[in-house]
Amino acid sequence: MFLGTHTPRLDDKGRLFLPAKFRDRMADGLVVTRGQERCLYVFPMEEFLRVTQQMQAAPTTSKAVRDFTRVFLSGASDEVPDKQGRVTIPATLRAYAGLTRECTVIGAGSRVEVWDTDAWNAYLQSTEQGFADQSEEVIPGLL
């Protein structure tokens, strides 16, 4: 499970240091793709395969399924971190997420999310109160 918030920087070649605690799980390969709210999703390869199998089981007669699948998979890029734990973020994905130098990487359970730091801070500020107010309605009985 991926947890926590980290603030690595994107280098001039579009590479990002994966947080040390995430590297072992991603060492054999990963997939970076478009996420929701203009962040990037980073999946270990085995988790990405599981997600795509679920997507393939969804009915292609549904326009929403086709639209989501197209956007999600057309942006996907399989990568292997280098020996220093850096992963290249393709230019199209950097542009999609508005990534410049300052990034925030968060653990989101089965995936990692990469955000532009300003976008992450704005997102967090706009959702924190809702998080506090809605816990019972979102996941009943959780806490």
Side-chain angles (χ1 to χ4, degrees):
M1 179 175 294
F2 297 106
L3 304 170
T5 302
H6 310 271
T7 53
R9 291 186 174 183
L10 203 60
D11 72 14
D12 294 337
K13 295 180 180 179
R15 297 175 302 191
L16 185 73
F17 276 100
L18 290 172
K21 64 192 285 186
F22 297 167
R23 290 180 193 167
D24 285 346
R25 181 122 185 259
M26 305 251 191
D28 293 331
L30 56 91
V31 175
V32 183
T33 192
R34 293 180 191 101
Q36 294 166 304
E37 289 87 32
R38 291 278 182 176
C39 71
L40 300 179
Y41 290 169
V42 182
F43 294 94
M45 186 60 73
E46 71 275 2
E47 180 64 17
F48 185 77
L49 294 174
R50 188 190 68 73
V51 168
T52 56
Q53 287 171 348
Q54 287 181 320
M55 292 172 76
Q56 291 171 351
T60 56
T61 54
S62 165
K63 183 175 179 344
V65 168
R66 291 191 312 272
D67 290 346
F68 185 88
T69 301
R70 286 173 182 145
V71 171
F72 187 78
L73 295 177
S74 68
S77 179
D78 56 323
E79 304 289 336
V80 176
D82 68 14
K83 292 180 195 253
Q84 289 80 36
R86 295 176 299 197
V87 63
T88 299
I89 308 295
T92 55
L93 292 175
R94 290 193 313 265
Y96 170 80
L99 299 180
T100 53
R101 187 150 177 82
E102 303 297 323
C103 296
T104 297
V105 174
I106 64 166
S110 64
R111 70 176 182 269
V112 171
E113 294 181 359
V114 180
W115 292 74
D116 169 76
T117 294
D118 289 340
W120 169 250
N121 290 336
Y123 171 80
L124 196 56
Q125 184 177 15
S126 71
T127 58
E128 277 184 313
Q129 189 59 49
F131 168 78
D133 295 342
Q134 299 295 322
S135 64
E136 185 63 30
E137 290 80 10
V138 174
I139 306 174
L142 180 62
L143 300 174

